[in-house]
């Protein structure tokens, strides 16, 4: 196929203008949104990530408390503690597997709302636990909810956001997850472990209330033939006075060309499998950096080191640093670009928020629901293996062995970023998808 020219006309190529016009609802000078509805819809969705971050690190203050519990039914051995910490990731893997179906069956918004059901049930089980099985089941249910939201929320946010601010809004899922973790660490200084579980119910219930008032993704509505509802949703998201017809026509044209579900034969087409493979490897490598076991056992890690502050205070400080780092990433992602932050920043500024955003940006529309669930499944199965084995390796060989391994993975991530990850800053989802169809190399530079 002939190499497409910058700004060339045609169904595949006019999505690559040399200077993309400002997106509807975005100011040309500073990229700030002209309406607040998009922020509200994003906030409603990412409350699910707040619950996810809260649930992920719930064990950090709880494991030390239960290891010292005088109740024989709740006293945890080292092996039981490793299961209590890691079973969340098995639930998250199951949630990602479910998202492969629910994301396209119910839609992004309803799938996110559905996640509140297992989340609330899981916290209730842990709050009233009288045995290990209730703790494990509750932990698995909150993990299921987290895996479902991890697959659905980035897709929803990327599909409702215009290109000029998609980076900033795409960082909000990770931002809220970090904020949820910090909130848990802070409450852990004040509340006993049962009340920590009770407090976890609030964000999920608030998410249902707010998200029920928000529109669904216009792209999902168009894929279901609900064109009028999709236009109304896009107009609501872009605000009064915004001319959404050009954007709507581009989305509509892309959806019509991909109206059927992807077949297994099509999965062998490079423009389908390349972005899916890149997204899968990003999620796999992100987990291999060791972030999940470090966060799950953070207070226990500090217990085993000669630090001056109490372990629970150290955990709260780590949460605050992560929150600040993700805030910086959110503010700079649409200016510096995705690849630059992946190269020069640590986890919280780079491989934390950006891999979730890139996953939702590069996956083709026809496979977006299924492939995002597959990415989460791979991610959390990897996290389970690492989390389950982490304490065993530390007890046998010390902290240095897993941390040297995590450092080596970070070097591999740099090579992967340079060779395989495209820059998506300032591009619409249709433009990104057109790149993988045409294979135009200049898009990567």
């Amino acid at each position: 196929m002939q190499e497409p020219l910058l700004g060339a006309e045609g169904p595949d190529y006019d999505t690559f203008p040399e200077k993309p016009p400002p997106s509807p609802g975005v100011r040309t000078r500073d990229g700030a949104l002209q309406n607040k509805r998009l922020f509200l819809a994003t906030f409603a969705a990412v409350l699910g990530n707040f619950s996810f971050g809260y649930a992920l690190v719930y064990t950090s203050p709880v494991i030390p408390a239960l290891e010292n519990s005088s109740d024989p039914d709740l006293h945890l051995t080292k092996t039981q503690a490793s299961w209590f910490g890691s079973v969340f990731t098995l639930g998250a893997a199951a949630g990602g597997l479910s998202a492969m179906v629910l994301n396209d069956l119910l839609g992004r918004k309803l799938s996110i709302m559905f996640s509140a059901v297992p989340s609330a049930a899981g916290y209730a089980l842990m709050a009233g636990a009288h045995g290990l099985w209730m703790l494990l089941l509750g932990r698995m249910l909150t993990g299921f909810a987290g895996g479902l939201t991890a697959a659905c929320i980035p897709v929803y946010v990327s599909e409702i956001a215009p290109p000029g601010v998609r980076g900033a809004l795409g960082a909000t899922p990770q931002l809220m997850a970090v904020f949820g973790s910090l909130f848990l660490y802070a409450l852990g200084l004040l509340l006993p472990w049962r009340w920590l579980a009770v407090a976890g119910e609030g964000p999920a219930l608030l998410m249902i209330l707010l998200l029920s008032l928000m529109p669904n993704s216009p792209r999902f509505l168009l894929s279901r033939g609900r064109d009028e509802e999709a236009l109304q949703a896009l107009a609501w998201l872009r605000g009064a006075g915004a001319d959404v017809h050009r954007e709507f026509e581009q989305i509509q044209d892309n959806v019509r060309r991909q109206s059927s579900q992807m077949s297994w034969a099509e999965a062998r087409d490079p423009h389908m499998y390349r972005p899916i493979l890149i997204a899968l490897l990003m999620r796999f490598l992100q987990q291999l950096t060791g972030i999940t076991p470090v966060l799950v056992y953070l207070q226990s890690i500090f217990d085993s080191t000669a630090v001056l502050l109490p372990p629970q205070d150290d955990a709260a400080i780590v949460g605050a640093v992560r929150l600040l780092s993700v805030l910086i990433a959110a503010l700079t992602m649409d200016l510096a670009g995705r690849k630059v932050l992946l190269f020069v920043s640590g986890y919280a500024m780079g491989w934390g928020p950006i891999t979730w955003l890139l996953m939702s940006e590069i996956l083709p529309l026809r496979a977006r629901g299924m492939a995002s669930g597959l990415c989460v499944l791979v991610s959390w199965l990897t996290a389970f293996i690492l989390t389950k084995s982490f304490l065993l390796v530390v007890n046998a060989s010390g902290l240095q062995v897993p941390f040297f391994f995590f450092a080596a993975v970070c070097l591999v991530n740099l090579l992967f970023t340079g060779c395989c990850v495209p820059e998506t800053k300032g591009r619409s989802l249709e433009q990104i998808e057109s790149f993988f169809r045409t294979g135009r190399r200049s898009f990567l530079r």
Side-chain angles (χ1 to χ4, degrees):
M1 181 179 288
Q2 184 179 359
E3 184 77 3
L5 300 176
L6 204 62
E9 297 295 330
D12 287 334
Y13 303 147
D14 72 344
T15 56
F16 290 99
E18 185 167 2
K19 291 184 179 179
S23 304
V26 180
R27 294 194 185 104
T28 57
R29 251 185 65 184
D30 58 9
L33 290 179
Q34 290 180 339
N35 84 90
K36 299 178 181 178
R37 294 175 177 176
L38 181 61
F39 284 123
L40 181 59
T42 300
F43 174 75
V46 298
L47 279 171
N49 291 102
F50 183 96
S51 296
F52 168 74
Y54 187 99
L56 175 64
V57 301
Y58 174 76
T59 52
S60 180
V62 174
I63 284 178
L66 293 180
E67 285 180 332
N68 298 316
S69 174
S70 58
D71 186 344
D73 293 328
L74 294 173
H75 179 79
L76 297 183
T77 65
K78 290 295 182 183
T79 300
Q80 290 171 334
S82 70
W83 275 110
F84 186 42
S86 61
V87 75
F88 177 92
T89 59
L90 281 182
L97 188 63
S98 300
M100 294 172 66
V101 176
L102 295 179
N103 226 343
D104 291 325
L105 181 64
L106 299 180
R108 291 54 159 140
K109 188 183 86 165
L110 288 180
S111 296
I112 299 168
M113 294 174 67
F114 174 76
S115 72
V117 177
S119 178
Y123 281 125
L125 277 169
M126 290 189 289
H130 296 293
L132 179 62
W133 72 270
M134 295 180 73
L135 291 172
L136 296 180
L137 180 57
R139 185 89 171 125
M140 181 172 283
L141 285 172
T142 56
F144 180 90
L148 187 57
T149 56
C152 300
I153 292 175
V155 173
Y156 178 76
V157 172
S158 71
E159 289 188 347
I160 67 174
V165 292
R166 196 174 59 244
L169 294 184
T172 56
Q174 182 71 12
L175 177 64
M176 288 296 283
V178 172
F179 190 62
S181 298
L182 178 59
F183 189 65
L184 183 281
Y185 293 139
L187 283 185
L189 301 174
L190 305 172
L191 299 179
W193 64 273
R194 290 188 189 275
W195 283 103
L196 288 178
V198 174
E201 302 275 8
L205 299 178
L206 180 60
M207 178 191 70
I208 289 181
L209 177 63
L210 290 180
L211 205 53
S212 65
L213 305 175
M214 301 299 114
N216 214 321
S217 158
R219 288 173 174 83
F220 171 77
L221 293 172
L222 280 170
S223 70
R224 291 297 179 266
R226 296 151 65 179
D227 291 24
E228 186 63 31
E229 190 178 347
L231 180 59
Q232 292 174 359
L234 188 62
W236 188 92
L237 289 165
R238 298 298 179 259
D243 183 7
V244 300
H245 288 89
R246 175 174 171 79
E247 182 182 9
F248 181 77
E249 288 171 1
Q250 288 181 338
I251 298 172
Q252 189 177 48
D253 178 64
N254 189 48
V255 170
R256 283 175 177 169
R257 285 190 283 116
Q258 303 188 66
S259 57
S260 60
Q261 291 293 315
M262 181 184 68
S263 66
W264 285 110
E266 287 178 297
R268 295 194 294 269
D269 192 313
H271 89 268
M272 282 289 184
Y273 74 71
R274 280 183 59 220
I276 294 174
L277 185 59
I278 291 172
L280 281 171
L281 286 172
M282 280 194 301
R283 302 303 311 133
F284 176 67
L285 290 171
Q286 187 217 41
Q287 285 295 347
L288 284 185
T289 63
I291 188 63
T292 299
V294 169
L295 292 178
V296 167
Y297 302 122
L298 189 57
Q299 191 166 318
S300 298
I301 291 171
F302 281 121
D303 271 330
S304 64
T305 59
V307 292
L308 297 177
L309 295 175
Q312 59 269 29
D313 293 347
D314 291 315
I317 292 172
V318 170
V321 172
R322 289 181 65 219
L323 180 62
L324 177 62
S325 299
V326 178
L327 275 172
I328 295 172
L331 294 174
T332 59
M333 201 179 300
D334 285 316
L335 299 174
R338 283 57 156 158
K339 290 188 71 167
V340 171
L341 290 180
L342 286 177
F343 273 120
V344 304
S345 62
Y347 178 87
M349 280 183 61
W351 278 82
I354 294 176
T355 52
W356 287 113
L357 171 63
L358 280 170
M359 178 193 79
S360 63
E361 288 182 324
I362 68 176
L363 291 176
L365 176 64
R366 293 176 67 181
R368 195 168 292 155
M370 178 276 295
S372 63
L374 180 61
C375 288
V376 172
L377 174 64
V378 169
S379 175
W380 290 109
L381 285 178
T382 307
F384 169 73
I385 295 170
L386 290 174
T387 309
K388 184 68 180 70
S389 60
F390 182 81
L391 286 183
L392 303 177
V393 173
V394 169
N395 291 333
S397 307
L399 282 171
Q400 66 274 13
V401 172
F403 277 89
F404 275 130
F405 172 76
F406 299 150
V409 170
C410 291
L411 295 177
V412 174
N413 288 355
L414 290 176
L415 295 175
F416 174 77
T417 300
C419 297
C420 303
V421 177
E423 178 57 73
T424 59
K425 180 187 73 171
R427 303 289 180 176
S428 71
L429 298 185
E430 286 67 41
Q431 289 172 331
I432 296 167
E433 194 158 336
S434 182
F435 156 69
F436 283 107
R437 283 199 305 271
T438 63
R440 208 185 85 195
R441 300 301 304 169
S442 61
F443 182 59
L444 292 173
R445 298 183 188 129

